[in-house]
Amino acid sequence: AYINGILDSNWVFSGTPATAGTFSIGTVPWALGFSGSSLNGLLDNVMIFNKSLNADEVQALYNNQK
């Protein structure tokens, strides 16, 4: 996860992403073995890409959003 253009933490996903069903942002799915929790706050400037971005690409996006 990036906060203000700086890498704060990362999470490695293994497996095949689902191509059908409900897509959620701001919640941890029960299916991943977590107890289930939701974001207590706001999300803004959410972007979804069809590839992984490298650190330079994330920084450029952050700089252009200021």
Side-chain angles (χ1 to χ4, degrees), residues 19-43:
T19 57
T22 303
F23 177 76
S24 299
I25 296 175
T27 186
V28 177
W30 292 92
L32 292 178
F34 295 97
S35 61
S37 61
S38 296
L39 173 71
N40 183 15
L42 300 172
L43 295 173

Side-chain angles (χ1 to χ4, degrees), residues 7-19:
L7 181 62
D8 180 66
S9 63
N10 58 33
W11 182 64
V12 176
F13 174 82
S14 63
T16 303
T19 57

